[in-house]
Amino acid sequence: MQTDHQTLWNKCLNVIKDIVPEPAFNTWFMPIIPLSYEENKFTIQVPSQFFYEYLEEKYINVLKVTIHRIIGAGTILNYRIMVDKTTGGTVDYPTEHNSIAVKKITPKDANKAPTPFTQTAPQDLDPQLNPKYSFDNYFEGVSNKLARTAGEAVAQNPGKTTFNPLFIYGGSGVGKTHLCHAIGARVRELHPEKKVLYVSSHLFRVQFTDAIRKNTTNDFLNFYQNIDVLIIDDIHELIGMDKTQNTFFHIFNHLHQLGKQLVLTSDKAPVDLLGMEERLITRLKWGLTAELSRPDVELRKKILKDKINQDGIYISDDVFDFIINNVTDNIRDLEGILVSLMAHAVIYNREIDLALAKRVISQAVRLEKKQLSVQKIQEVVCKYFNLELALVQTNSRKREIVQARQITMYLSKKYTDCSFSHIGKIVGKKDHATVLHACKTIKDQIETNKSFRLSVEEIEGLLKN
């Protein structure tokens, strides 16, 4: 016999099934277990923290609208999350906890069109920050050390460091947006009196265009010129938008002269922003320009371990290593692969094994087809530096030959299972200690010399072709 809360949930499922695609319905709604409906509070159980966060991010409006429609407008949705499957331990979260759903309009504002130009107190201004992104889960690695350190310094003393503006650039999915939100959140934590605003360049452009159309340009300017910490994501999207660039130029000047903090991101360095006004490019270079490059292997390990712990899932060592070694381009791919693996595991009710990992990852990234050897790495390195292969085998102490030899040893240790002794035997008949020293030398140079790091990354790219 069904209980009242089970009956109500079944009715909700019937509605949801018509709203979301069947695969999403089976993955994210079928595993939900209705637990109780008491005192206007409807409690549902979900398998993990990850499951809860995904529902809150992607389907919170579907859940709320459906529950209000079936059960009643005043119904409060409450989650019970399984945190320990062996003991049955759980933790409860109300739906508003960490929710990034669209902010509701209060009754007194119901007849007013939402506008970003209303002057408010710092604590009343919606900073448009995602609470999921913080410094606590923004792990440090070689690829992001400078940007992360600068971000923390800016958050400690916004507008009072030489990092103004802080210009962060890098490819898609390397962590630019996460870092922006982390900076904003830390500023609000340490300086609650300051007005903080995160906005994408796309939204900034849309707001400006709308302000022109409605003849509210002065309100637009006044609003932005009163922000204490302005964070603008994807500034490259303003390329070709001359009027928007001109307006941003004046906002930039005003805020900078008043000692306000600016944080900007782009997919390119300022010097490569072709189509951006030269006077604006000059200002973008006033502070610190920090690159976020492809995440290094240690950083990928930290991120994947954290996501696995958050989601409460088990992944064997061989699956973990396979993911780390094949999903290398960006963090977004890494997180997306984990979501896909979990979805497949839930839908097909199976363990996340190596076969499943290979199938899922092969759909998202190009897997390495051939096994690298020390000989192959040696050939690629010599070709990159335009050196004869035989020279690496000699005892020559010429700088370019020593460097090629050491890079070969470093990459051989990284991409093969060979021992230090075996690598030394092939590369110039060197001993174990020489290879160990070479690996340490190259690692140190990668961490301290950007130009050298880029060269090694280019060689790694050639190895994967």
Side-chain angles (χ1 to χ4, degrees):
M1 181 177 178
Q2 287 191 334
T3 58
D4 288 343
H5 58 268
Q6 286 176 321
T7 302
L8 290 170
W9 181 243
N10 286 340
K11 290 180 179 179
C12 289
L13 288 179
N14 288 335
V15 173
I16 294 170
K17 195 170 185 177
D18 291 333
I19 299 175
V20 302
E22 185 177 355
F25 177 80
N26 291 333
T27 303
W28 303 110
F29 293 95
M30 287 305 290
I32 296 174
I33 300 172
L35 295 180
S36 64
Y37 176 49
E38 298 172 349
E39 298 179 351
N40 240 21
K41 183 164 70 173
F42 193 84
T43 300
I44 58 175
Q45 180 175 294
V46 295
S48 69
Q49 176 77 17
F50 165 78
F51 210 100
Y52 154 71
E53 290 180 359
Y54 196 88
L55 285 173
E56 280 283 281
E57 182 176 355
K58 300 292 185 182
Y59 295 114
I60 184 58
N61 289 331
V62 172
L63 278 166
K64 282 186 174 181
V65 169
T66 304
I67 286 174
H68 289 173
R69 173 180 164 185
I70 299 298
I71 304 175
T75 305
I76 298 170
L77 178 61
N78 188 64
Y79 295 93
R80 183 161 297 169
I81 300 170
M82 291 291 294
V83 293
D84 190 334
K85 293 179 174 62
T86 59
T87 64
T90 61
V91 63
D92 282 11
Y93 281 148
T95 186
E96 296 298 335
H97 184 86
N98 274 354
S99 173
I100 57 169
V102 177
K103 189 176 180 182
K104 297 187 291 291
I105 299 175
T106 56
K108 68 178 182 179
D109 297 327
N111 294 323
K112 298 178 182 179
T115 171
F117 313 141
T118 304
Q119 295 299 329
T120 60
Q123 62 270 25
D124 295 329
L125 173 69
D126 184 354
Q128 301 295 318
L129 296 170
N130 188 333
K132 286 171 55 179
Y133 298 139
S134 69
F135 279 112
D136 291 337
N137 58 9
Y138 191 81
F139 299 103
E140 182 178 299
V142 175
S143 58
N144 66 7
K145 185 177 179 64
L146 175 62
R148 191 188 193 285
T149 302
E152 288 193 301
V154 162
Q156 289 283 341
N157 294 293
K160 297 190 177 359
T161 71
T162 56
F163 308 150
N164 194 19
L166 175 58
F167 189 97
I168 304 160
Y169 76 97
S172 176
V174 294
K176 301 187 298 294
T177 298
H178 186 149
L179 183 55
C180 283
H181 286 277
I183 293 170
R186 181 66 60 82
V187 172
R188 279 174 57 82
E189 176 189 339
L190 299 177
H191 306 279
E193 77 284 359
K194 293 191 179 295
K195 289 185 177 181
V196 179
L197 181 66
Y198 165 89
V199 63
S200 68
S201 291
H202 174 74
L203 181 57
F204 182 87
R205 181 165 42 106
V206 169
Q207 289 175 347
F208 175 63
T209 303
D210 200 44
I212 293 176
R213 185 171 58 83
K214 294 179 178 179
N215 198 27
T216 57
T217 308
N218 287 337
D219 291 339
F220 175 88
L221 282 169
N222 288 336
F223 173 80
Y224 274 98
Q225 289 176 345
N226 276 282
I227 299 298
D228 296 306
V229 179
L230 179 59
I231 305 168
I232 297 194
D233 211 353
D234 294 329
I235 196 73
H236 56 272
E237 291 191 7
L238 297 188
I239 288 176
M241 307 292 171
D242 294 343
K243 288 184 179 179
T244 310
Q245 285 184 42
N246 184 59
T247 299
F248 177 67
F249 173 83
H250 292 297
I251 292 172
F252 182 106
N253 276 349
H254 181 87
L255 294 178
H256 198 276
Q257 288 169 7
L258 291 178
K260 309 298 185 181
Q261 181 68 49
L262 293 115
V263 179
L264 311 162
T265 79
S266 172
D267 62 353
K268 301 179 185 69
V271 69
D272 295 323
L273 292 173
L274 303 179
M276 191 77 79
E277 284 189 27
E278 189 59 40
R279 61 176 184 168
L280 186 52
I281 290 177
T282 300
R283 281 156 178 77
L284 297 180
K285 296 188 290 186
W286 273 355
L288 175 70
T289 297
E291 181 185 12
L292 286 176
S293 55
R294 194 175 71 177
D296 55 274
V297 64
E298 292 304 318
L299 179 57
R300 297 200 301 274
K301 287 180 180 178
K302 290 178 186 177
I303 293 168
L304 188 57
K305 283 179 182 176
D306 180 68
K307 290 298 294 180
I308 289 171
N309 290 336
Q310 279 187 35
D311 301 341
I313 60 175
Y314 170 76
I315 290 183
S316 63
D317 290 343
D318 58 342
V319 172
F320 183 91
D321 291 340
F322 186 79
I323 296 172
I324 290 299
N325 291 327
N326 287 280
V327 187
T328 61
D329 285 346
N330 61 65
I331 297 163
R332 193 172 295 145
D333 282 353
L334 200 63
E335 294 176 339
I337 289 296
L338 197 57
V339 171
S340 297
L341 285 172
M342 287 190 64
H344 278 74
V346 170
I347 291 171
Y348 299 110
N349 191 27
R350 60 175 291 184
E351 295 291 329
I352 299 176
D353 56 16
L354 190 57
L356 176 61
K358 287 182 176 179
R359 183 158 65 85
V360 169
I361 293 174
S362 67
Q363 296 169 356
V365 299
R366 188 175 67 180
L367 299 179
E368 188 61 54
K369 299 298 182 184
K370 52 186 180 292
Q371 178 66 41
L372 287 173
S373 64
V374 178
Q375 290 87 345
K376 173 65 177 176
I377 293 170
Q378 193 169 228
E379 291 171 8
V380 171
V381 171
C382 288
K383 185 176 180 180
Y384 181 84
F385 289 110
N386 197 25
L387 292 172
E388 291 183 14
L389 190 61
L391 290 174
V392 176
Q393 301 295 331
T394 68
N395 289 322
S396 172
R397 302 304 300 166
K398 286 187 177 179
R399 182 176 176 276
E400 62 270 24
I401 296 174
V402 171
Q403 185 179 72
R405 188 186 298 130
Q406 290 182 333
I407 290 175
T408 299
M409 292 174 175
Y410 170 82
L411 294 177
S412 295
K413 189 59 187 172
K414 182 174 181 179
Y415 287 104
T416 75
D417 295 324
C418 297
S419 65
F420 289 115
S421 298
H422 184 72
I423 293 170
K425 187 182 295 184
I426 297 175
V427 186
K429 296 182 180 179
K430 305 298 180 182
D431 60 17
H432 168 278
T434 302
V435 180
L436 188 62
H437 172 73
C439 291
K440 184 179 184 306
T441 299
I442 297 302
K443 184 179 179 183
D444 290 344
Q445 289 188 65
I446 287 173
E447 292 178 354
T448 57
N449 187 324
K450 177 184 172 184
S451 175
F452 183 83
R453 182 175 74 247
L454 291 175
S455 294
V456 173
E457 287 178 351
E458 285 181 11
I459 294 172
E460 288 179 285
L462 294 173
L463 290 173
K464 295 178 181 181
N465 290 334

